[in-house]
Amino acid sequence: MSDKNSGLIASLAHQGISRRTFMKYCATLASMMALPPSAGRAMAEAMAAARRPSVIWLPFQECTGCTESITRSHSPSLEGLIFDAISLDYQETLMAAAGHQAEEALEKAIEENKGKFVLIIDGSVATGLDGAYSCIAGRTNLELLKRVAPHAGAIVAMGSCAAFGGIPKANPNPTAAVAVTDIIKDKPVVNIPGCPPIPVVMTGVLAHYLTFGSLPELDKLGRPKAFYGETIHDRCYRRPFYDQGKFAKTFDDEGARKGWCLFELGCKGPVTYNACATVKWNGGTSWPVESGHGCLGCSEPDFWDGGGFYRALSMPADPLKMAATAAVVGTAAGVAATFANRAKKGAAKSAHETVTLADLEK
Amino acid sequence: MTGAATEHPARVLEAVFQAIAQGPLAGSSIQNPALAVQATGFRVHDGRWHGILITPWFMSLIVLPGEQDDWGEMSSGTGRTLALPTGEVAFMHAQAEGLGTYLTHSLFSPMHDFPHQDYALAMAEAVLAELYVPVSPPAQPSRAEAAADGSPPLSRRGFFKALLPPETPS
């Protein structure tokens, strides 16, 4: 889409964003990802390099909310501009080409960048009726994924649908929808769940790949640990009220007005791993819990079938039956080290909690 | 109770959260009935008491204000970063009756993965060892934790031993 040889710095300057602002943004990004300070400069240099890597973005069973999140979160965002400065060779929603031209662009991008391009997928993969529920240019999503994925340098499953099957996979799953990782077994897939996911996570993963040529550290569900290492509950500003047993019972009672914990109103914060509580949304303006609504748990697998958004999480009646998870405690030293590191990493996050992209663009 | 960092805070902390456990949270399923309220590993760092509070519904790193601090005006949920011996940690201001304003950093919540108090204690011990390791050994364990179930206090060496299934739940 954009000229591959145009420098990012020049492109940003054209948009009124100074080199200094860009450096600051990269430093913030590095800090959010718990990388050493030097990584910020490395990221800036890598992203400003002349040749931008090719990105192929395939939309499957999706609602385009993920694309909206990335490109229009608050306009113009630095994330959006960086996105524009990568060579987004195929993205049906954003590209000018259509029909045969578009499919030619896809094939050309695969051939020209074999083994190097970043493949982003949003939406789940329909497998029912051999995938016939969702087709692009006469090819099923399943076919397309199997055609493109083997040649990708890195694969990113963007949003809860691509990462975990999401809403298309919700009961009764009429299209037999599956996640990207259910199809692609032979190479790592970065899952960036969320409905939609937080834009800066996408930028962070891209920046990491551009800078170090590798993917950031992932958890057992394939999510970047830097952004999905803590629960919403752990970093929620309403958390002290939970600790003190102060819960809003309805959305308009005294507790709700005083900003008490929304656990009893169905908040899924305690079981949801995401960075909303620290990074926030819409340029750092707010996030669901701050707006008075419990977390839906949209970035967790099968969140839609979780039993109702307004039903309080059920707790195990007999905790001793949970003893299996005590195996985790069995490696307490390791777990403790993780928590200690997490605690320390939290500092980097919180230090930048109030530095929003809007601030950086001033 | 926002005064000097001289008085060991374990008893006050335990009393405040015990009252919550038996008051607003009495019978609530967010409590793990296998666990008890216990303040453990409290030591003075930079003039403030630091330690871990275990309750049946959360385990958090807690810091109480020292003489140099005036946190009274800080609203609940706002952040404050403190330098610990092994790095900076992001805390959150919180207020509780009988405790005033204190700092908290969540480690675990809810607590249903801990089948027994000893597991929670072992985890607390291990987290503290990771966070405060470069400091000279503090005067601990406190009397409060040694008295918890009559078992000997956990040393680093005895830590893995403590992970063996206990004979009787306390």
Side-chain angles (χ1 to χ4, degrees), chain A residues 2 12 67 85-86 94 102 107 214 250 275 286 327 334:
Chain A
S2 60
L12 290 174
T67 308
I86 59 174
L94 302 176
E107 292 302 325
S214 65
T250 68
S286 186

Side-chain angles (χ1 to χ4, degrees), chain A residues 244-285:
Chain A
Q244 290 149 29
K246 291 177 176 171
F247 300 102
K249 310 280 184 191
T250 68
F251 283 107
D252 57 358
D253 69 358
E254 197 199 348
R257 280 192 291 276
K258 286 183 172 167
W260 289 1
C261 176
L262 300 169
F263 179 88
E264 292 189 0
L265 291 170
C267 182
K268 304 298 183 287
V271 293
T272 303
Y273 290 83
N274 208 335
C276 303
T278 45
V279 177
K280 300 193 185 182
W281 283 87
N282 296 327
T285 307

Side-chain angles (χ1 to χ4, degrees), chain A residues 326-355:
Chain A
V328 173
V329 185
T331 53
V335 177
T338 307
F339 272 85
N341 282 332
R342 196 203 72 184
K344 284 180 268 175
K345 192 205 71 187
K349 270 190 188 170
S350 88
H352 293 283
E353 194 171 351
T354 52
V355 181

Side-chain angles (χ1 to χ4, degrees), chain B residues 8 14 26 34 37 40-41 71 73-74 76 78 92 103 109-110 124-125 137 143 153-154 170:
Chain B
H8 197 288
E14 286 170 359
V37 173
T40 184
W71 296 344
E73 297 301 306
M74 298 308 299
S76 177
T78 54
M92 204 180 273
L103 297 180
S109 177
E125 171 93 359
R143 264 161 294 162
L154 288 169
S170 59

Side-chain angles (χ1 to χ4, degrees), chain B residues 139-165:
Chain B
Q140 63 147 349
S142 70
R143 264 161 294 162
E145 72 176 278
D149 56 2
S151 57
L154 288 169
S155 62
R156 267 173 83 83
R157 190 176 291 274
F159 163 59
F160 285 103
K161 226 175 175 179
L163 293 172
L164 294 171

Side-chain angles (χ1 to χ4, degrees), chain A:
Chain A
M1 283 188 164
S2 60
D3 179 359
K4 282 178 188 169
N5 296 317
S6 76
L8 177 63
I9 298 289
S11 151
L12 290 174
H14 185 66
Q15 304 280 343
I17 293 169
S18 69
R19 182 185 159 78
R20 186 170 171 275
T21 300
F22 175 63
M23 296 299 287
K24 204 170 148 195
Y25 172 79
C26 291
T28 306
L29 204 55
S31 157
M32 277 179 173
M33 300 185 78
L35 298 168
S38 58
R41 181 165 291 274
M43 278 181 169
E45 281 166 9
M47 284 200 275
R51 167 93 187 175
R52 319 248 33 88
S54 169
V55 172
I56 295 175
W57 182 322
L58 298 177
F60 293 160
Q61 293 198 111
E62 48 86 31
C63 70
T64 315
C66 297
T67 308
E68 288 283 328
S69 170
I70 294 299
T71 55
R72 295 168 54 145
S73 55
H74 72 297
S75 192
S77 76
L78 206 44
E79 279 117 330
L81 290 166
I82 289 170
F83 236 89
D84 198 39
I86 59 174
S87 179
L88 192 50
D89 289 331
Y90 184 88
Q91 215 283 12
E92 285 153 16
T93 311
L94 302 176
M95 71 196 301
H100 293 295
Q101 257 187 338
E103 298 314 303
E104 275 164 29
L106 173 61
E107 292 302 325
K108 197 170 152 226
I110 296 171
E111 289 309 317
E112 281 181 4
N113 306 288
K114 248 183 190 168
K116 286 182 291 189
F117 65 86
V118 178
L119 172 61
I120 299 174
I121 295 146
D122 66 331
S124 62
V125 189
T127 61
L129 296 180
D130 292 328
Y133 286 106
S134 183
C135 297
I136 299 166
R139 283 195 288 186
T140 66
N141 295 166
L142 190 60
E143 236 180 298
L144 205 51
L145 181 58
K146 286 178 174 169
R147 158 83 182 101
V148 181
H151 308 296
I155 303 177
V156 179
M158 181 77 179
S160 294
C161 295
F164 303 134
I167 290 170
K169 183 176 170 248
N171 187 37
N173 192 2
T175 65
V178 299
V180 169
T181 47
D182 291 323
I183 307 292
I184 305 301
K185 303 277 192 192
D186 56 349
K187 45 170 76 179
V189 174
V190 182
N191 282 333
I192 304 184
C195 190
I198 299 175
V200 74
V201 181
M202 184 76 236
T203 326
V205 169
L206 277 179
H208 195 284
Y209 184 70
L210 297 184
T211 309
F212 306 110
S214 65
L215 300 172
E217 196 187 354
L218 307 176
D219 70 6
K220 65 180 193 306
L221 290 178
R223 305 175 291 198
K225 276 189 180 172
F227 295 100
Y228 295 90
E230 295 170 280
T231 63
I232 297 290
H233 181 60
D234 276 334
R235 305 283 291 155
C236 177
Y237 77 106
R238 297 193 187 216
R239 175 57 189 277
F241 294 116
Y242 168 94
D243 289 358
Q244 290 149 29
K246 291 177 176 171
F247 300 102
K249 310 280 184 191
T250 68
F251 283 107
D252 57 358
D253 69 358
E254 197 199 348
R257 280 192 291 276
K258 286 183 172 167
W260 289 1
C261 176
L262 300 169
F263 179 88
E264 292 189 0
L265 291 170
C267 182
K268 304 298 183 287
V271 293
T272 303
Y273 290 83
N274 208 335
C276 303
T278 45
V279 177
K280 300 193 185 182
W281 283 87
N282 296 327
T285 307
S286 186
W287 61 291
V289 172
E290 196 171 339
S291 304
H293 196 287
C295 167
L296 302 184
C298 77
S299 54
E300 290 296 312
D302 302 324
F303 81 99
W304 199 260
D305 294 327
F309 293 151
Y310 301 99
R311 253 193 23 216
L313 277 171
S314 57
M315 294 291 161
D318 182 1
L320 295 181
K321 285 203 178 124
M322 299 290 287
T325 51
V328 173
V329 185
T331 53
V335 177
T338 307
F339 272 85
N341 282 332
R342 196 203 72 184
K344 284 180 268 175
K345 192 205 71 187
K349 270 190 188 170
S350 88
H352 293 283
E353 194 171 351
T354 52
V355 181
T356 68
L357 295 176
D359 292 334
L360 294 178
E361 284 166 16
K362 276 171 196 164

